[in-house]
């Protein structure tokens, strides 16, 4: 952030991207941005994408009045990498983020990465993250150190450790009513919109739902008639309705881009506590369509005409798009997203019809170009009571327009197309650039090892009669 701000203000020439400055647009004319970002919500968990067990009228209204993207891809099939990609416009592999951060992980997304919030702050935007962060919970990795003016929420997944609410960098509540988490985030979001109504603002509302364990408030318990997962979806739909009602009440809906989407596909192994991605194949953690293709709806009254867009797009596209719409300049780093302003305005198409899949957030294993997708050999996936196992496979070729469920391998039927797609994948890999070593030291083992090293150092220092204050804290937020 520090280097980026110096570059933005110190150089008017030679910048990548648009040349607009803060004075180009009057502050009142700059659009607001509200991103409603779900956790583990499946492609077909809302009725406008095919759900029939319950209806989501508020989300459906956004789709009916905005753009419903049918072929939108997250940056990753798992949480932390996907969020890093969304906020930076860069594949997480470029950042070394190959797994998820845990409460005792001592790493996080590098503070030098330029986030959407940091870009918008150069244009006078107020910025807030409300909800799940999951990009590192040591203080230097928290939202306030990544361009956000305000933060409120749970810093990791709600199946991890003790649940606490942070406000800014500090724990506000150690004992929270997790059943009301969706309601709490919604109240915080509405309060933020009201407080910032007189200036351009960016709100990243990252819900903890639909990640297991599923929680729902008393008002929505049993409401769907289809189990707690459906109840929680209805509560999220209510939340979307409250956000939109607030924007309309304040006269902000015609100057606010609202995007509804999810970080990755559903957690199928959780059965009725997980979502669905029908008619797509598989779900979270996989490079099949169900793992990375997510619902995505963009609404902007008076600016976006209702339509269904079936072209390839990615959540990586939002950083360059928001940058353009705000009048900012793109950061001097290699981006993987494309500015889709012309798509939103109905005046053009995305600059690329390609998308690269990172099955393990390290290697490019699958590649889509237009209607076609090539998948390199992969090991099988072990199932459980709720989910059947998937057999290992050799190289696969699918025509996703004709076979969105990836049921029919046509690799041998179309050998020339297979050869063409393999070449595209290879070319992309060669041009991708260096992939750094893994950043995420996940799980308890790495943290326990580091803590043991520190404890040994403390004991040696104590035995020698030396007091070293740097050894008196391990840098973790204490959530016990």
């Amino acid at each position: 952030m520090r280097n980026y701000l110096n570059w933005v203000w110190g150089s008017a020439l030679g910048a990548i991207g648009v040349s607009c400055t803060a004075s180009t647009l009057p502050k009142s004319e700059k659009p607001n941005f509200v991103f409603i970002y779900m956790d583990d919500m499946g492609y077909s968990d809302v009725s406008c994408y095919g759900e029939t067990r319950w209806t989501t009228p508020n989300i459906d209204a956004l789709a009916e009045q905005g753009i419903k993207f049918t072929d939108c891809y997250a940056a990753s099939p798992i949480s932390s990498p996907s969020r890093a990609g969304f906020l930076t416009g860069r594949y997480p592999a470029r950042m070394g983020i190959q797994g998820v951060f845990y409460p005792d992980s001592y790493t996080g997304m590098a503070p030098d990465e330029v986030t959407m919030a940091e870009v918008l702050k150069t244009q006078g935007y107020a910025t807030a993250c409300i909800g799940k962060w999951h990009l590192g919970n040591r203080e230097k990795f928290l939202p306030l150190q990544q361009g956000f003016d305000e933060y409120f929420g749970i810093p990791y997944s709600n199946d991890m450790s003790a649940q606490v609410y942070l406000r800014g960098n500090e724990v506000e509540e150690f004992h929270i009513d997790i059943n009301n988490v969706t309601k709490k985030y919604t109240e915080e979001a509405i309060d933020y919109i009201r407080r910032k109504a007189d200036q351009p603002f960016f709100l990243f509302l990252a819900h903890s739902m639909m990640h297991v364990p599923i929680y729902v408030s008393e008002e929505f318990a049993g409401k769907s008639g289809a189990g707690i997962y459906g109840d929680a979806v209805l509560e999220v739909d209510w939340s979307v309705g409250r956000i939109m009602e607030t924007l309309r009440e304040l006269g902000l809906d015609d100057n606010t881009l609202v995007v509804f989407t999810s970080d990755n596909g559903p957690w199928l192994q959780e059965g009725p506590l997980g979502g669905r991605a029908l008619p797509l194949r598989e779900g979270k953690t996989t490079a099949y369509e169900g793992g990375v293709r997510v619902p995505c709806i963009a609404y902007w009254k008076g600016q976006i005409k209702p339509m269904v867009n079936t072209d390839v797009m990615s959540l990586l596209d939002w950083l360059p798009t928001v940058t353009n719409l705000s009048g900012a300049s793109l950061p001097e780093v290699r981006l993987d997203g494309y500015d889709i302003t012309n798509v939103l305005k109905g005046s053009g198409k995305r600059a690329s019809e390609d998308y690269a899949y990172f099955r393990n957030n390290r290697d490019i294993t699958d590649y889509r170009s237009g209607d076609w997708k090539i998948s390199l050999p992969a090991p099988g996936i072990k199932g459980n009571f709720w989910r059947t196992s998937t057999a290992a496979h050799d190289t696969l070729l699918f025509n996703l327009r004709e076979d969105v469920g990836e049921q029919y391998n046509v690799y041998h039927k179309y050998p020339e197309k297979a050869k063409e797609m393999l070449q595209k994948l290879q070319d992309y890999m060669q041009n991708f650039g260096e992939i750094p070593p893994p950043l995420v030291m996940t799980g308890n083992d790495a943290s326990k090892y580091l803590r043991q090293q520190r404890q040994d150092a403390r004991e040696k220092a104590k035995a020698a009669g030396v007091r070293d204050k740097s050894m008196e804290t391990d840098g973790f937020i204490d959530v016990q």
Side-chain angles (χ1 to χ4, degrees):
M1 174 61 181
R2 280 54 56 187
N3 294 335
Y4 174 59
L5 285 175
N6 291 335
W7 167 73
V8 168
W9 296 120
S11 175
L13 299 175
I16 301 173
V18 296
S19 59
C20 300
T21 64
S23 61
T24 302
L25 296 171
K27 186 169 71 172
S28 61
E29 293 183 9
K30 290 181 181 180
N32 307 307
F33 302 104
V34 175
F35 285 87
I36 302 172
Y37 197 81
M38 303 306 302
D39 192 2
D40 288 3
M41 175 170 272
Y43 183 80
S44 59
D45 282 344
V46 293
S47 46
C48 57
Y49 278 87
E51 180 56 64
T52 58
R53 293 170 295 172
W54 52 75
T55 58
T56 50
N58 294 300
I59 298 170
D60 294 355
L62 294 183
E64 291 167 2
Q65 300 167 35
I67 299 179
K68 171 189 168 184
F69 294 96
T70 63
D71 292 48
C72 173
Y73 292 90
S76 166
I78 58 175
S79 182
S80 294
S82 180
R83 290 158 196 273
F86 165 73
L87 286 173
T88 65
R90 289 156 49 81
Y91 275 117
R94 296 195 188 280
M95 298 174 264
I97 300 177
Q98 298 175 9
V100 299
F101 297 104
Y102 286 82
D104 59 357
S105 295
Y106 53 90
T107 55
M109 184 172 71
D112 287 341
E113 291 292 339
V114 181
T115 68
M116 200 181 300
E118 289 171 314
V119 169
L120 291 172
K121 280 181 71 66
T122 69
Q123 297 299 294
Y125 276 74
T127 59
C129 173
I130 295 173
K132 175 182 172 180
W133 177 239
H134 212 188
L135 288 171
N137 62 282
R138 289 184 65 182
E139 182 172 329
K140 67 179 179 178
F141 302 120
L142 289 173
L144 266 57
Q145 286 64 250
Q146 298 284 10
F148 290 96
D149 301 322
E150 300 182 25
Y151 173 59
F152 176 85
I154 300 172
Y156 34 73
S157 295
N158 53 288
D159 64 339
M160 293 180 177
S161 189
Q163 299 303 301
V164 299
Y165 282 142
L166 297 189
R167 190 173 297 278
N169 294 325
E170 304 297 329
V171 177
E172 181 173 276
E173 292 185 53
F174 284 93
H175 304 286
I176 68 177
D177 182 359
I178 191 68
N179 291 308
N180 286 317
V181 63
T182 298
K183 182 186 295 184
K184 183 65 173 176
Y185 289 167
T186 305
E187 293 170 351
E188 292 284 336
I190 290 172
D191 175 69
Y192 178 76
I193 292 171
R194 291 189 183 281
R195 287 189 287 109
K196 302 301 178 181
D198 61 347
Q199 68 179 108
F201 63 84
F202 165 49
L203 171 60
F204 178 39
L205 174 54
H207 280 289
S208 291
M209 296 296 99
M210 307 302 297
H211 196 292
V212 297
I214 303 297
Y215 296 103
V216 65
S217 68
E218 183 178 353
E219 290 88 335
F220 286 87
K223 190 170 183 178
S224 71
I228 192 172
Y229 191 92
D231 299 341
V233 172
L234 293 188
E235 186 159 30
V236 167
D237 184 71
W238 163 84
S239 174
V240 171
R242 290 288 294 116
I243 298 297
M244 296 309 301
E245 179 183 329
T246 303
L247 292 173
R248 287 191 293 267
E249 175 190 333
L250 297 173
L252 299 174
D253 57 331
D254 61 350
N255 194 37
T256 302
L257 172 62
V258 180
V259 176
F260 177 89
T261 190
S262 179
D263 64 345
N264 48 247
W267 206 347
L268 299 181
Q269 291 91 329
E270 298 299 319
L273 297 181
R276 301 198 299 193
L278 299 175
L280 309 180
R281 183 175 179 180
E282 289 294 341
K284 177 179 178 177
T285 76
T286 79
Y288 289 106
E289 293 297 286
V292 287
R293 196 188 292 201
V294 293
C296 184
I297 300 166
Y299 169 87
W300 189 354
K301 181 181 177 181
Q303 298 290 331
I304 291 178
K305 295 181 179 179
M307 68 170 295
V308 175
N309 185 297
T310 60
D311 295 334
V312 173
M313 70 90 63
S314 169
L315 297 186
L316 296 166
D317 297 339
W318 287 116
L319 180 134
T321 303
V322 163
T323 300
N324 184 18
L325 291 170
S326 68
S329 296
L330 290 172
E332 284 187 316
V333 293
R334 185 170 177 179
L335 299 178
D336 297 295
Y338 297 87
D339 178 6
I340 60 167
T341 299
N342 56 351
V343 177
L344 300 181
K345 299 295 182 73
S347 60
K349 298 175 73 68
R350 186 177 186 258
S352 172
E353 59 177 3
D354 294 4
Y355 170 80
Y357 305 68
F358 290 72
R359 189 178 301 149
N360 52 16
N361 298 293
R362 180 184 68 247
D363 305 309
I364 302 165
T365 58
D366 302 63
Y367 196 79
R368 177 173 178 177
S369 183
D371 294 345
W372 296 89
K373 177 180 180 181
I374 193 82
S375 299
L376 297 181
I381 303 171
K382 186 178 180 180
N384 65 359
F385 179 81
W386 300 109
R387 179 185 170 282
T388 59
S389 298
T390 297
H393 66 72
D394 205 337
T395 306
L396 305 174
L397 178 69
F398 299 110
N399 184 314
L400 294 176
R401 291 294 172 214
E402 298 178 357
D403 178 25
V404 71
E406 298 175 282
Q407 298 299 308
Y408 306 104
N409 179 19
V410 294
Y411 181 84
H412 297 293
K413 184 176 181 180
Y414 299 104
E416 291 304 313
K417 177 57 72 172
K419 182 179 179 181
E420 174 192 335
M421 290 296 297
L422 283 170
Q423 187 62 52
K424 286 188 175 185
L425 186 152
Q426 183 177 3
D427 290 345
Y428 190 86
M429 291 173 63
Q430 291 177 345
N431 293 325
F432 187 77
E434 182 180 358
I435 295 178
L439 170 68
V440 177
M441 306 300 290
T442 58
N444 299 329
D445 291 343
S447 296
K448 286 181 178 178
Y449 174 72
L450 188 64
R451 283 175 170 152
Q452 187 60 53
Q453 283 186 316
R454 289 175 174 143
Q455 183 61 32
D456 291 344
R458 288 172 184 147
E459 291 178 359
K460 289 180 180 179
K462 183 178 180 180
V466 177
R467 184 187 179 196
D468 185 349
K469 289 186 177 181
S470 68
M471 296 180 184
E472 293 179 2
T473 175
D474 59 11
F476 292 86
I477 290 177
D478 183 6
V479 296
Q480 301 303 318

